[in-house]
Amino acid sequence: QVQLVESGGGLVQPGGSLRLSCAASGFTLDYYAIGWFRQAPGKEREGVSCISSSDGSTYYADSVKGRFTISRDNAKSTVYLQMNSLKPEDTAVYYCAAALWFPSQGWDTVSGYNYWGQGTQVTVSS
């Protein structure tokens, strides 16, 4: 069955780094755009980054540009999110999601994704 599994979350001090992984199974990752989203308590889920299936184009929320990097390894059916210079406001549950067709209303449109992982907690605190 189709499955996305996130890993790599944890507790990190401000200024630290984490690398999240999103492992896909049950479908061919190559054909899907993959997005990373996050949701903090009491807030809506928001787009963090996305990587397309066609040419590997990448997209980032303004709040993470220059700090986060998304990449994909289709041979390993895995997408990564390297997060550097983490801030307390980055604290959230991070989800990866897969879209067979690039979301027509924008890469950060939650409803544009077909499959979702269960999420991994990232906490940035001293």
Side-chain angles (χ1 to χ4, degrees), residues 4-9 18-24 33-39 45-51 59-61 64 68-72 78-83 92-99 107-110 113 115-122:
L4 291 170
V5 179
E6 302 95 337
S7 61
L18 284 174
R19 189 177 79 157
L20 304 184
S21 298
C22 172
I34 302 297
W36 282 98
F37 291 76
R38 67 186 181 187
Q39 189 166 18
R45 192 167 297 190
E46 64 173 358
V48 175
S49 184
C50 173
I51 186 165
Y59 308 83
Y60 298 95
V64 306
F68 291 11
T69 303
I70 191 171
S71 61
R72 64 192 299 158
T78 302
V79 173
Y80 304 97
L81 185 68
Q82 178 67 44
M83 306 187 297
V93 177
Y94 283 69
Y95 301 88
C96 65
W107 67 267
D108 55 348
T109 306
V110 171
Y113 289 81
Y115 308 121
W116 289 82
Q118 83 292 345
T120 185
Q121 176 71 46
V122 171

Side-chain angles (χ1 to χ4, degrees), residues 2-67:
V2 171
Q3 198 170 17
L4 291 170
V5 179
E6 302 95 337
S7 61
L11 173 64
V12 64
Q13 292 187 342
S17 299
L18 284 174
R19 189 177 79 157
L20 304 184
S21 298
C22 172
S25 60
F27 65 101
T28 304
L29 186 70
D30 309 36
Y31 302 135
Y32 287 74
I34 302 297
W36 282 98
F37 291 76
R38 67 186 181 187
Q39 189 166 18
K43 294 188 176 181
E44 291 189 354
R45 192 167 297 190
E46 64 173 358
V48 175
S49 184
C50 173
I51 186 165
S52 72
S53 60
S54 55
D55 59 2
S57 295
T58 57
Y59 308 83
Y60 298 95
D62 288 343
S63 58
V64 306
K65 278 181 183 176
R67 300 189 297 121

Side-chain angles (χ1 to χ4, degrees), residues 99 101-107 109 112:
W101 301 105
F102 194 87
S104 60
Q105 296 184 329
W107 67 267
T109 306

